[in-house]
Amino acid sequence: GAGKPGEGGGGPAGRNAQGPGGGQRESLLDQLISDLNEINEIPFFDIDLPYELALRIFAYLGRTELGRCAQVSKTWKVIAEDEVLWYRHCLKEGYETKADIGDFIGWKAVLRDSLEKEHTLQTNWKNRIGAASQLHYDVGGILCDVHSCNEMIVSGYTSGDVRMWDISTWDSSALYLETSRSSAELGLQPHVSFVRINSTIAVAAYKGGAVDIWSTVLGREPIHHYQHSQDIQAIAVAIDSAAVATSSCYQVRLESSDQRGYWQTACQFELQKLVG
């Protein structure tokens, strides 16, 4: 006979008997699956959040996290590989600190290459692997002092000559730095006591207390010269600016250049102890 009311569980009527709540759950699940299938259209970044604000959020991520985010979707990949993010990571790691963001195309690749070079250098140093390169210089004196900063090298000789190399250009020839007239007295030039260099200036101190300063960009002729009354015992240059400190006996003198390129004695004082 006819079934009892409510016993149609196996037929369509039975499935519809789940009520509105079951249908709603099924609809939400379908919507979630649809959203996952179109994950490159994430409302969080495409609709509700401007690109610039999303970029600021990604700026808190490290290199590894950015790499993982780039695999989530096309939209996230665009944000995670933005030049601004990788330019900042280069600066944070200490690479290309002098460059502007527009100097290179593909800062992610710049950082990767820099890390690979550093790793290779550390590995070769640890395993004693390397090659010797000779910097060409005409024989004319005995080497007194040598100093380097990044790709810049400066050397001074007993002949009074000062030479500078920029090894980033792969040119082994040296740039001859001329001596100021006050440093080169009549007769033999005084031999070089100290040389120092940074990215801005090269400095040489001579026996007798004379000091010459050159621009690493202009080279050749000195841009500044000053004199101590006695031999110089120590010399130092600022890390990344045009400033030089020298000491002679008890006297310490600091010379610096202003924004217009004019040199002046920033300070001068005497110590209680003799500088060794």
Side-chain angles (χ1 to χ4, degrees):
K4 297 181 180 179
E7 289 184 354
R15 288 195 296 269
N16 293 335
Q18 295 178 10
Q24 184 180 7
R25 285 194 298 270
E26 186 175 355
S27 176
L28 291 175
L29 181 59
D30 291 340
Q31 183 63 42
L32 177 60
I33 295 174
S34 176
D35 290 343
L36 291 175
N37 289 336
E38 299 178 359
I39 197 168
N40 62 320
E41 296 182 359
I42 301 176
F44 181 65
F45 290 120
D46 287 350
I47 298 176
D48 297 333
L49 207 59
Y51 183 89
E52 292 76 11
L53 191 53
L55 195 64
R56 294 189 63 179
I57 295 175
F58 273 60
Y60 289 97
L61 302 178
R63 302 194 311 267
T64 303
E65 289 78 12
L66 287 176
R68 292 173 180 172
C69 288
Q71 301 176 18
V72 172
S73 67
K74 294 180 180 178
T75 302
W76 281 38
K77 180 179 177 63
V78 171
I79 302 174
E81 295 187 353
D82 192 282
E83 291 289 272
V84 173
L85 298 178
W86 292 99
Y87 171 68
R88 291 177 178 176
H89 276 294
C90 274
L91 298 184
K92 183 179 179 181
E93 295 293 335
Y95 303 120
E96 304 295 344
T97 55
K98 293 293 185 179
D100 294 325
I101 191 170
D103 292 345
F104 294 95
I105 298 176
W107 279 98
K108 183 179 180 180
V110 172
L111 178 59
R112 182 184 62 246
D113 294 342
S114 300
L115 290 171
E116 289 178 355
K117 288 180 181 178
E118 182 176 355
H119 176 72
T120 301
L121 179 62
Q122 292 176 350
T123 302
N124 291 345
W125 179 265
K126 182 178 180 180
N127 297 327
R128 302 295 189 269
I129 301 174
S133 299
Q134 182 177 2
L135 302 176
H136 299 296
Y137 170 65
D138 297 334
V139 178
I142 300 173
L143 180 66
C144 296
D145 193 21
V146 63
H147 189 246
S148 65
C149 176
N150 297 328
E151 287 102 5
M152 304 297 295
I153 302 174
V154 65
S155 60
Y157 300 84
T158 55
S159 61
D161 290 339
V162 180
R163 299 277 173 149
M164 182 174 67
W165 291 266
D166 183 359
I167 60 175
S168 65
T169 61
W170 298 101
D171 183 4
S172 59
S173 60
L175 175 64
Y176 175 75
L177 302 180
E178 298 178 3
T179 305
S180 64
R181 292 182 180 179
S182 53
S183 296
E185 301 174 350
L186 296 176
L188 296 176
Q189 296 184 23
H191 74 255
V192 177
S193 301
F194 301 98
V195 290
R196 293 293 184 270
I197 193 169
N198 61 20
S199 59
T200 306
I201 56 174
V203 185
Y206 303 89
K207 184 174 178 58
V211 179
D212 281 337
I213 303 174
W214 299 267
S215 166
T216 55
V217 177
L218 303 177
R220 297 295 180 184
E221 298 181 359
I223 58 175
H224 185 54
H225 169 85
Y226 64 97
Q227 178 78 44
H228 280 275
S229 58
Q230 300 184 50
D231 288 347
I232 294 174
Q233 279 80 40
I235 185 172
V237 295
I239 297 176
D240 197 20
S241 61
V244 183
T246 50
S247 63
S248 175
C249 293
Y250 298 96
Q251 185 186 63
V252 176
R253 184 170 175 176
L254 176 62
E255 299 280 318
S256 63
S257 172
D258 59 21
Q259 296 179 351
R260 296 177 296 174
Y262 294 106
W263 283 82
Q264 58 184 354
T265 303
C267 65
Q268 187 172 344
F269 56 91
E270 291 190 357
L271 302 174
Q272 299 297 325
K273 284 186 173 183
L274 184 67
V275 177

